């Protein structure tokens, strides 16, 4: 931590207050302390600071302080507010004075535990007797630090206590309310001349004891607020995070519940890929998916629109859907979708869950409106938030702290804990982010019954492959049987084997899903299976072989009746033709007035032809109540459903669509290099006063070469102004060894190593006297 001030500041460094004194303290700190500062505030390291003065100035910029405050808990922010109220930005404040300002609401030890990390972040500095903070801190804390209003000119602390004692009971009640969490109140009497002496607010305004802010807002002066609070100037202070109430469910139950959600999620994504593979929706001009397409998808999946939007975002984030490269682009499944469909349930889930964890978007905003009052739909540009992955991890990491098998009772408790830990993170959406994350995590099986599933914990702590292995142990083994009911419903008592699931999905429609999926068999579903080339005998055998209950006679009758009528009409391409062994049926079709638009013409007693495409002819005849089947050129059954569309895609998150990349945080090696650069700049700045023959401005090539060669011959150190490979200006003290080929080779005394310095990057040179 940055504890104190240097005993002897550098001669060229002014010992003034503010950023300059912070620069002195940084200069006197060791490398470990500087490294801790850059690690906790990585924005200070980019671009590389040239010396401690630059680092100090950068650390006191308002935007950087605001960024550093985002990770502070409620008590740490309250400490900063107290220092602002005590004017630590203008003069030093002792820890004893700070402790007394809390009036027993926080102990000295609790405050000390917060001052240390604040020093490490250079948000405060100086010893306990002289704690300082930046002048910009006043602009960074909330508008009313400590819940206190602005100071009223001419009102002393003593006079404020006297005034408070003179107020009547009603007036003291108004002051007490405004001395709570917020000093601002709304009243119709705020307008000049509207005060009513028969009301307590009116009397306070007439006496000048309330500050008018606008026509309907007043503010309690800080002095009166402090007087009303008495021995606790900072008011009520939360020194510890609120408790998180938990219920014990058992890890096995949590994992089983999560596994059920995973199977349902996989089914919905599979239906999405099937639907959009056949009829891809258009990409809106403003980006995203249209409201009508989302509603249609929700009907197909039998879910609400919020769930449908989440499914779309997950599939697209995982690279299973992308925009086609057409002039009028559409949302089309990618070739990665086929790989996903062929994968096991746990690996399907791992891809979706891993993509969600790093998804730089907020699906929870779907259905809301942006600043221009435009509706935000799935995949729209307005959902982008580069901080979304970090916010998700905060929620999940809190659940990860809880013992296994336990889950929270209320979402509001989770939001309250995270709000205490980082009140400034998330802005106005802070609590909504928590609720959205929990809702999405439940849909993904990462969270169940308020607790983190074993697979979710593995995903958070390790990798997708490990998480998939953990999830595999929770997903029940597939079953190879069903239960056929008398009402023509089929119950699957668990996850079906892939081959059985595919066949059953062909001959029946899902009526309800869950731990046990209910299918319903109907004429349309049987015809779908017959269209795909199945025979009635094969369908009866399917149910007889896999049903643990007797197959109802009504189901056999329905299969036989549908199969008997199915395919009596044979359609082909002429553009298309229609044939039937029973000429009476063709005569009936020709006589239908509503089928005249088909342009049918008899070319033989058992053959009709039409100019319409085969698909349209079959669809029109089915709409008229017939059951034709398409025929291939060899007389076999032709499946007209067509294969799903696929495009190449661009990987996770659709990177080519311009998703904001996460900022590149310097790694540990780069941070260490930044510290060395600061040290080099400090040494160069301290040595600069003893230089001779400095070159002004950009040195000429000849002058630079001559000066450097002479320094090499005389073994003199030189001060270099230098631009590094990243474009950052830096300063070095170098002893030249050789000059040639456009490169100065010399021993860098600030780094203790031999280095090469391209001459075209040297901006200034001066010889240092020995």
């Amino acid at each position: 931590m940055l504890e104190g001030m240097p005993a002897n500041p550098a001669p060229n460094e002014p010992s003034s207050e503010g950023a300059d004194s912070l620069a002195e303290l940084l200069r006197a700190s060791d490398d470990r302390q500087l490294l801790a500062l850059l690690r906790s505030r990585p924005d200070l390291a980019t671009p590389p600071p040239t010396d401690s003065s630059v680092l100090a100035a950068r650390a006191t910029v308002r935007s950087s302080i605001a960024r550093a405050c985002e990770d502070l808990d409620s008590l740490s922010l309250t400490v900063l507010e107290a220092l602002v109220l005590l004017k630590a930005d203008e003069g030093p404040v002792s820890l004893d004075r700070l402790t007394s300002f809390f009036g027993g609401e926080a102990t000295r030890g609790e405050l000390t535990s917060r001052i240390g990390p604040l020093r490490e972040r250079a948000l405060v500095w100086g010893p306990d007797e002289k704690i300082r903070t930046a002048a910009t801190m006043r602009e960074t804390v909330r508008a009313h630090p400590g819940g206190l209003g602005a100071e009223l000119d001419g009102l002393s602390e003593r006079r404020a206590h006297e005034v408070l004692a003179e107020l009547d009971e009603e007036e003291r009640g108004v002051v007490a309310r405004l001395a709570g969490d917020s000093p601002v109140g709304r009243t119709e009497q705020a307008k000049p001349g509207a005060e009513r002496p028969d009301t307590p607010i009116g009397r306070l305004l007439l006496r000048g004891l309330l500050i008018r802010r606008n026509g309907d807002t007043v503010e309690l002066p800080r002095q009166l607020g402090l007087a009303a609070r008495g021995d606790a100037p900072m008011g009520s202070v939360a020194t510890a995070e609120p408790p998180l109430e938990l219920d014990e469910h058992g890890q096995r139950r949590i994992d089983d519940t999560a596994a059920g959600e995973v199977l349902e999620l996989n089914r919905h994504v599979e239906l999405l890929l099937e639907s959009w593979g056949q009829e891809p929706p258009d990409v809106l001009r403003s980006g995203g998916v249209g409201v009508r397409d989302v509603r249609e998808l929700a009907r197909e999946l039998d879910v609400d629109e919020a769930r449908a939007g989440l499914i779309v975002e997950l599939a697209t984030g995982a690279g299973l859907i992308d925009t086609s490269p057409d002039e009028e682009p559409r949302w089309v499944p990618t070739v990665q979708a086929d790989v996903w469909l062929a994968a096991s349930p746990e690996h399907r889930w791992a891809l979706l869950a891993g993509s969600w964890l790093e998804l730089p978007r907020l699906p929870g905003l779907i259905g809301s409106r942006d600043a221009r009052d435009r509706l935000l739909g799935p995949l729209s540009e307005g959902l982008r938030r580069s901080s979304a992955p970090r916010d998700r991890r905060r929620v999940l990491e809190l659940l990860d702290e809880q013992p296994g098998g336990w889950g929270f009772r209320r979402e509001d408790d989770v939001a309250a804990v995270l709000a205490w830990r980082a009140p400034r993170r998330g802005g106005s959406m802070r609590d909504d982010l928590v609720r959205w994350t929990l809702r999405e995590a439940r849909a993904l099986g990462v969270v169940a019954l308020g607790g983190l599933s074993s697979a979710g914990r593995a995903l958070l702590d390790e990798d997708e492959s490990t998480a998939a292995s953990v999830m595999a142990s929770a997903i029940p083994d597939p079953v190879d049987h069903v239960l056929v009911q008398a009402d023509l419903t089929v119950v699957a008592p668990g996850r079906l084997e892939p081959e059985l699931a595919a066949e059953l999905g062909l001959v029946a429609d899902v009526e309800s899903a869950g731990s046990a999926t209910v299918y319903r068999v109907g004429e349309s579903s049987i015809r779908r299976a017959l269209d795909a080339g199945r025979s009635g005998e094969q369908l009866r055998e399917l149910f007889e072989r896999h049903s643990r209950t007797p197959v109802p006679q009504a189901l056999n009758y329905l299969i036989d009746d549908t199969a008997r009528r199915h395919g009596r009409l044979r359609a082909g391409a002429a553009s298309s033709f229609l044939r039937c062994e029973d000429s009476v049926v063709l005569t009936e079709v020709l006589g239908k007035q509503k089928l005249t638009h088909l342009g049918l013409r008899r070319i033989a007693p058992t053959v009709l032809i039409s100019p319409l495409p085969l698909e349209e002819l079959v669809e029109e005849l089915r709409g008229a109540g017939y059951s034709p089947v398409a025929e291939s050129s060899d007389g076999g059954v032709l499946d007209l459903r067509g294969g799903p569309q696929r495009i190449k895609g661009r990987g996770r998150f659709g990177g080519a669509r311009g998703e904001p990349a996460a900022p590149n945080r310097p790694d540990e090696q780069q941070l260490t290099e930044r510290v060395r650069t600061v040290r080099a700049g400090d040494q160069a700045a301290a040595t600069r006063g003893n230089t001779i023959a400095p070159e002004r401005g950009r040195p000429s090539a000849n002058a630079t070469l001559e000066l450097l060669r002479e320094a090499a011959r005389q073994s003199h150190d030189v001060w270099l102004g230098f631009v590094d490979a990243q474009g950052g200006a830096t300063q070095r003290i170098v002893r030249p060894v050789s000059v040639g080929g456009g490169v100065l080779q010399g021993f860098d005394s600030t780094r203790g190593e031999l280095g090469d310095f391209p001459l075209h990057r040297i901006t200034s040179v001066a010889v240092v006297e020995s």
Side-chain angles (χ1 to χ4, degrees):
M1 294 181 293
L2 310 177
E3 292 292 346
M5 302 291 293
N8 298 307
N12 63 320
E13 184 65 47
S15 57
S16 59
E17 300 294 328
D20 288 335
S21 60
L22 176 60
E24 293 175 5
L25 187 145
L26 293 175
R27 191 173 294 114
S29 303
D30 58 32
D31 290 355
R32 178 185 55 82
Q33 292 168 336
L34 284 186
L35 191 61
L37 170 61
L38 297 182
R39 193 183 294 121
S40 63
R41 297 176 65 178
D43 60 301
L44 302 183
T46 306
T50 55
D51 55 30
S52 294
S53 297
V54 172
L55 181 60
R58 196 177 292 176
T60 55
V61 173
R62 176 185 175 183
S63 59
S64 180
I65 290 179
R67 195 176 297 114
C69 288
E70 286 186 354
D71 292 324
L72 298 181
D73 62 31
S74 182
L75 182 55
S76 297
L77 290 174
T78 304
V79 169
L80 291 178
E81 291 182 6
L83 289 172
V84 168
L85 291 172
L86 293 171
K87 300 182 179 180
D89 55 328
E90 298 177 5
V93 174
S94 68
L95 181 58
D96 291 338
R97 177 74 179 102
L98 178 65
T99 303
S100 65
F101 200 64
F102 277 82
E105 291 291 324
T107 66
R108 181 185 178 94
E110 289 171 333
L111 298 180
T112 301
S113 69
R114 295 307 191 277
I115 290 292
L118 293 178
R119 281 197 184 104
E120 184 176 277
R121 292 170 178 258
L123 295 174
V124 302
W125 57 88
D128 289 348
E129 296 75 23
K130 295 181 179 180
I131 301 174
R132 291 292 311 274
T133 187
T136 47
M137 185 63 71
R138 186 173 296 274
E139 307 169 18
T140 309
V141 298
R142 57 178 171 161
H144 301 103
L148 295 169
E151 290 185 329
L152 184 64
D153 293 339
L155 183 62
S156 66
E157 179 180 348
R158 177 179 177 182
R159 179 57 185 158
H161 283 85
E162 294 174 351
V163 167
L164 187 64
E166 296 169 359
L167 300 179
D168 61 32
E169 185 176 351
E170 289 183 332
E171 293 166 351
R172 280 198 297 270
V174 172
V175 171
R177 287 196 298 273
L178 294 179
D181 295 332
S182 173
V184 177
R186 298 175 65 87
T187 175
E188 296 178 353
Q189 302 180 58
K191 297 178 182 178
E195 310 92 340
R196 293 171 50 191
D198 60 337
T199 65
I201 292 179
R203 293 194 295 272
L204 291 172
L205 283 168
L206 289 172
R207 295 180 60 182
L209 298 179
L210 290 178
I211 303 172
R212 303 176 194 267
R213 286 306 178 198
N214 51 46
D216 62 355
T217 305
V218 295
E219 182 177 315
L220 183 71
R222 181 176 301 174
Q223 298 93 321
L224 273 182
L226 289 171
R229 290 181 177 181
D231 295 334
M234 288 301 293
S236 179
V237 178
T239 58
E241 65 182 41
L244 183 62
E245 296 186 16
L246 303 175
D247 289 321
E248 186 176 12
H249 302 288
Q251 193 62 51
R252 182 63 183 176
R253 184 182 173 197
I254 290 176
D255 291 344
D256 289 346
T257 304
E261 291 292 342
V262 167
L263 295 177
E264 186 72 350
L265 172 69
N266 286 344
R267 187 178 72 87
H268 284 157
V269 174
E270 186 175 346
L271 291 175
L272 166 66
L273 297 176
E274 179 183 348
S275 175
W276 285 14
Q278 297 294 336
E279 297 183 13
D282 294 330
V283 178
L284 296 180
R285 186 171 302 175
S286 58
V289 185
V291 175
R292 185 177 303 175
D293 294 315
V294 175
R295 289 175 179 170
E296 179 63 28
L297 177 64
R299 283 194 295 269
E300 291 183 19
L301 271 57
D302 193 23
V303 297
D304 57 32
E305 293 181 23
R307 168 82 176 193
L310 175 61
I311 297 297
V312 169
E313 286 284 345
L314 291 175
T316 307
L320 307 181
I321 293 175
D322 208 333
T323 54
S324 62
D326 308 327
E327 292 185 4
E328 297 183 359
R330 296 180 297 170
W331 295 105
V332 183
T334 67
V335 293
Q336 178 65 27
D338 293 321
V339 178
W340 184 86
L341 289 169
S344 60
E346 61 271 15
H347 285 98
R348 288 184 178 188
W349 166 81
L351 177 64
L352 296 173
S355 300
W356 167 76
L357 196 59
E358 302 301 330
L359 184 68
R361 301 173 61 79
L362 283 181
L365 286 173
I366 294 174
S368 63
R369 294 187 175 273
D370 62 11
R372 299 182 180 180
D373 200 36
R374 294 177 301 188
L375 185 67
L376 296 176
L379 306 180
S380 62
E381 297 297 309
L383 302 186
R384 290 184 180 184
R385 295 292 189 281
S386 59
S387 61
R390 177 194 60 189
D391 293 328
R392 286 191 197 99
R393 285 188 173 272
R394 287 185 63 240
V395 178
L396 299 181
E397 285 168 356
L398 172 59
L399 301 186
D400 192 26
E401 296 171 10
Q402 313 311 316
W406 292 74
F408 62 84
R409 289 183 180 177
R410 292 174 295 272
E411 288 185 354
D412 289 347
D413 291 348
V414 179
V417 171
L418 291 173
W420 189 91
R421 290 186 177 185
R424 303 188 64 166
R425 186 173 292 285
S428 60
M429 296 189 299
R430 182 190 64 196
D431 295 343
D432 288 332
L433 288 169
V434 176
R435 298 184 180 93
W436 295 339
T437 298
L438 292 174
R439 183 184 68 191
E440 294 163 12
R442 284 192 294 267
L444 280 150
V446 175
V447 171
L449 302 177
L452 205 60
S453 66
S454 298
R457 202 180 301 272
L459 180 70
L460 187 64
D461 298 337
E462 300 182 53
D463 53 37
E464 293 178 17
S465 178
T466 303
S469 300
V470 176
M471 179 58 73
S473 63
I475 295 177
D477 295 332
V479 297
D480 62 353
H481 62 275
V482 295
L483 307 174
V484 181
Q485 308 294 317
D487 60 353
L488 302 187
T489 58
V490 181
V491 179
R495 178 169 64 98
L496 296 176
E497 291 182 341
E499 297 79 5
L500 178 57
E503 290 297 314
L504 198 57
L506 192 62
V507 74
D509 298 315
V510 175
E511 194 167 79
S512 65
S515 56
T517 304
V518 179
Y519 296 83
R520 178 166 294 278
V521 182
E523 182 179 347
S524 61
S525 64
I526 293 175
R527 188 170 59 235
R528 181 175 64 230
L530 295 172
D531 286 344
R534 307 300 186 272
S535 65
E537 182 179 352
Q538 289 174 320
L539 297 182
R540 288 195 304 273
E541 181 185 353
L542 172 70
F543 290 112
E544 291 172 357
R545 186 170 68 251
H546 293 286
S547 177
R548 291 288 177 88
T549 57
V551 179
Q553 196 172 28
L555 178 56
N556 288 328
Y557 284 161
L558 179 60
I559 293 174
D560 291 341
D561 185 58
T562 305
R564 184 167 47 253
R565 290 183 290 106
H566 184 270
R568 293 182 65 189
L569 293 177
R570 313 288 286 187
S575 293
S576 58
F577 67 84
L578 196 65
R579 72 178 182 87
C580 181
E581 298 300 329
D582 189 349
S583 61
V584 176
V585 176
L586 293 182
T587 301
E588 178 186 337
V589 172
L590 279 174
K592 291 276 187 180
Q593 184 66 29
K594 62 179 181 180
L595 296 179
T596 56
H597 66 285
L598 300 182
L600 292 169
R601 181 168 60 88
R602 189 189 295 270
I603 61 172
T606 59
V607 180
L608 302 179
I609 63 173
S610 171
L612 297 180
L614 177 59
E615 295 85 351
E616 186 175 346
L617 175 62
V618 171
E619 183 178 351
E620 292 286 345
L621 289 171
R622 287 176 176 170
Y626 295 96
S627 299
V629 64
E631 186 175 73
S632 64
S633 58
D634 59 1
V637 175
L638 182 63
D639 189 354
L640 294 179
R641 293 179 300 168
Q645 299 187 39
R646 294 290 187 266
I647 59 174
K648 185 177 181 181
R650 290 164 284 184
R652 289 191 181 188
F653 316 128
R657 293 196 301 275
E659 290 286 5
N664 291 325
R665 296 170 60 96
D667 57 29
E668 199 68 14
Q669 182 178 355
Q670 291 172 322
L671 291 179
T672 303
E673 182 68 20
R674 302 293 199 272
V675 171
R676 296 174 66 181
T677 299
V678 170
R679 294 304 189 203
D682 289 344
Q683 181 178 349
T687 311
R688 187 73 190 274
N690 298 322
T691 59
I692 58 172
E695 293 190 69
R696 298 292 183 180
R698 178 78 179 179
S700 65
N702 290 334
T704 298
L705 285 172
E706 185 59 32
L707 192 152
L708 292 175
R709 285 170 178 165
E710 182 62 24
R713 285 192 294 266
Q714 300 295 328
S715 296
H716 283 163
D717 289 342
V718 295
W719 178 93
L720 295 182
F722 186 72
V723 178
D724 60 24
Q726 289 74 37
T730 183
Q731 301 169 349
R732 304 288 177 84
I733 302 297
V734 178
R735 174 161 295 183
V737 175
S738 63
V739 182
V743 175
L744 162 67
Q745 187 179 52
F747 183 80
D748 189 341
S749 60
T750 57
R751 294 172 179 264
E753 60 184 21
L754 194 66
D756 293 336
F757 302 88
L759 295 179
H760 67 277
R761 290 184 178 171
I762 296 175
T763 58
S764 55
V765 184
V767 177
V768 179
E769 291 182 346
S770 28

